[in-house]
Amino acid sequence: MTGAGAGIGEGIVRRFADEGAKVVVAEIDSAAGEAVAQSIGGTYVGTDVSDREQVENAVQTALSAYGSIDIVVNNAWGGGGIGRVEKKTDEQLSQGIAVGYYGPFWAMRAAFPHMKERGWGRVINMCSLNGVNAHMGSLEYNAAKEALRALTRTAAREWAPTGVTVNAICPAAKSQAFFRAIGEYPELEAVADAANPMGRMGDPYDDIAPVAVFLAGEGSRYLTGNTLFVDGGGHINGTPWAPDLGD
């Protein structure tokens, strides 16, 4: 699992471990990744998902450590600032697409032959309501996550006969990315909670991870190409996100 050192990724990888899965923590932050892996008896591999060789090495690490790769969860994100579309730089867009789209693509491409050979596999891509609802200020994130949803559906269609399913989760949880945004716009935390039909943002371990566990199991074998909005109902009418971006 990529981006498993904190936030939603950590919640999912801990839940997987509690369910008995053997996990690889692929994380760019070595201190965080090693700490999580050690605490759950998993394997840590340093991974910058914007680097194809490092992504492919993470897949190979899973194969070497456990003999197979059954589940891929693409969760990593590399940050990004809040700003207007016209002020975004080429570098910001390129980095966002590299981390949010190419990283998952490389992981899926590397893992698929091994899954196909076994006739079983699960790919879970963590996408976002930011892209679906076109939240302000986060163009590179929105674009990468919507591209990832297109990749999810296309791979699901092509791989359906092989026993490999590919699905996306759009979560709403108090993750690292959420707290970074709140750090810039503190007033939005109360707005986000109040706007959610359930009155709160989700918890990575208790609210988001159980859905990932379902998608990773045999019970989801007839479900592919779907986007699951694990958001307390926030997607129904759209989630307000209107920071003051200035002129």
Side-chain angles (χ1 to χ4, degrees):
M1 173 164 184
T2 66
I8 291 174
E10 180 183 359
I12 292 174
V13 83
R14 287 189 180 280
R15 192 88 187 204
F16 275 22
D18 288 347
E19 294 286 337
K22 297 175 181 178
V23 299
V24 170
V25 176
E27 167 64 51
I28 194 171
D29 184 332
S30 58
E34 288 176 350
V36 171
Q38 183 176 6
S39 70
I40 62 177
T43 299
Y44 169 72
V45 56
T47 309
D48 177 350
V49 299
S50 69
D51 185 302
R52 178 179 56 81
E53 291 185 359
Q54 292 189 43
V55 173
E56 292 173 348
N57 179 62
V59 172
Q60 186 57 51
T61 296
L63 291 167
S64 299
Y66 303 122
S68 67
I69 183 164
D70 304 310
I71 304 159
V72 171
V73 182
N74 288 303
N75 173 73
W77 176 250
I82 302 295
R84 301 188 67 87
V85 168
E86 66 272 19
K87 294 183 179 180
K88 295 290 184 178
T89 66
D90 292 356
E91 291 73 21
Q92 286 176 307
L93 267 292
S94 294
Q95 178 67 10
I97 296 298
V99 172
Y101 175 77
Y102 274 107
F105 168 68
W106 291 326
M108 291 166 64
R109 185 175 65 181
F112 175 66
H114 306 281
M115 293 178 171
K116 181 181 179 181
E117 183 178 4
R118 297 184 65 241
W120 199 96
R122 300 288 183 266
V123 177
I124 303 167
N125 292 325
M126 303 305 294
C127 294
S128 179
L129 285 170
N130 278 45
V132 176
N133 291 339
H135 288 185
M136 294 172 60
S138 52
L139 171 63
E140 64 272 34
Y141 182 71
N142 301 1
K145 292 300 186 179
E146 283 298 271
L148 181 55
R149 285 211 306 141
L151 170 60
T152 299
R153 297 192 302 275
T154 304
R157 178 63 186 92
E158 293 185 12
W159 297 353
T162 71
V164 177
T165 67
V166 190
N167 290 288
I169 292 176
C170 286
K174 292 191 174 180
S175 63
Q176 274 189 318
F178 177 84
F179 286 117
R180 278 197 300 268
I182 295 307
E184 293 187 55
Y185 302 96
E187 70 280 2
L188 292 180
E189 182 170 17
V191 171
D193 284 339
N196 190 286
M198 291 191 178
R200 64 179 179 84
M201 296 289 282
D203 177 79
Y205 182 90
D206 290 323
D207 295 317
I208 311 303
V211 179
V213 169
F214 164 68
L215 289 177
E218 186 62 22
S220 65
R221 67 180 187 176
Y222 202 55
L223 184 91
T224 196
N226 278 275
T227 299
L228 278 67
F229 295 98
V230 189
D231 63 355
H235 69 284
I236 297 168
N237 294 317
T239 303
W241 178 259
D244 182 2
L245 301 179
D247 295 326

